[in-house]
Amino acid sequence: MTELLWTRPETTPVATLLFAHGAGAAMDSSFMNRMAAALAENGVAVARFEFPYMAARRAGGKKAPPPKAELLVSAFQTALQQVMPEVEGTLLIGGKSMGGRVAAMLAGGASLPGRVKGVACVGYPFHPTGKADVWRLEPLAACRRPVLITQGERDPFGSAAELETVALPDQVDITYLEDGNHDLGPRGQSPATWDGNIHKAAEAIVAFAARIA
């Protein structure tokens, strides 16, 4: 696992988010950099890390696909133990896509420290693309903490229209981003913008942190 990559606000943080990457892009991808910067602008400190398979890619290893999500929970737990001594106040765990799913799995375990107050997922992979009948709701249902999901309206892993057809667990709230894809980016003709959607997602996470603190 790589060292933690911190993005901190200029003032005392209102919360800290341990934020994991998605399946295919590293912790310093364009999306992860933009999301961390937007959160820091809104007062949230962000600590990023990489799962072992992604860290191996960075070190020049084979570009292997990620293992099953449940096999990454222990790595997230290790990162959490690493970040906790550096954090005071409200602590959240979360991630982009697969990283958010793994965070939800971790939050469903009995060993989650009480200092972790909630889970923030960006672009949750509700189902594989093209397989809207294969839902991944179990981690959310088992989660022992409040969950906020910021989701693009057009996300191919779970669009707003598709999610209208399912009953989500009571502890899960969703904020939709206008015309957003899986990375929250809208189409060119949309009045929304990518930066605007990222900042709205960050603002929703800040409000979530304040609510559950």
Side-chain angles (χ1 to χ4, degrees):
M1 186 178 297
T2 54
E3 293 296 319
L4 294 173
L5 175 60
W6 282 94
T7 306
R8 303 179 191 270
E10 295 182 358
T11 57
T12 302
V14 298
T16 298
L17 172 63
L18 178 61
F19 194 48
H21 59 81
M27 66 178 178
D28 55 357
S29 66
S30 176
F31 177 87
M32 294 291 285
N33 286 340
R34 286 170 180 254
M35 194 72 228
L39 285 162
E41 288 174 18
N42 283 276
V44 174
V46 181
R48 288 174 272 171
F49 71 98
E50 286 181 345
F51 293 113
Y53 80 91
M54 187 62 73
R57 289 186 191 180
R58 185 180 294 276
K62 182 180 178 182
K63 190 176 180 180
K68 292 182 178 180
E70 55 266 27
L71 299 179
L72 298 173
V73 174
S74 62
F76 208 127
Q77 177 74 51
T78 298
L80 178 59
Q81 294 300 323
Q82 185 178 352
V83 79
M84 284 178 61
E86 302 185 43
V87 173
E88 295 182 0
T90 303
L91 175 60
L92 309 175
I93 59 174
K96 172 70 171 74
S97 192
M98 181 198 73
R101 184 181 173 205
V102 177
M105 290 178 172
L106 176 58
S111 61
L112 186 70
R115 289 180 57 193
V116 179
K117 301 302 182 184
V119 181
C121 304
V122 181
Y124 186 83
F126 282 97
H127 59 70
T129 55
K131 296 182 179 179
D133 58 335
V134 183
W135 288 93
R136 296 164 171 163
L137 299 177
E138 293 84 357
L140 300 176
C143 195
R144 296 168 178 261
R145 298 290 190 277
V147 180
L148 173 70
I149 299 172
T150 52
Q151 193 85 354
E153 290 180 338
R154 298 182 298 111
D155 195 323
F157 291 87
S159 68
E162 290 171 332
L163 290 168
E164 288 180 355
T165 68
V166 300
L168 294 176
D170 291 341
Q171 67 270 28
V172 177
D173 288 326
I174 298 185
T175 295
Y176 291 107
L177 287 310
E178 183 178 357
D179 200 48
N181 205 329
H182 192 51
D183 65 354
L184 310 185
R187 290 167 290 193
Q189 69 271 29
S190 173
T193 66
W194 190 28
D195 280 342
N197 278 352
I198 285 176
H199 277 82
K200 287 178 182 178
E203 290 166 2
I205 292 171
V206 172
F208 173 67
R211 188 169 72 249
I212 64 175

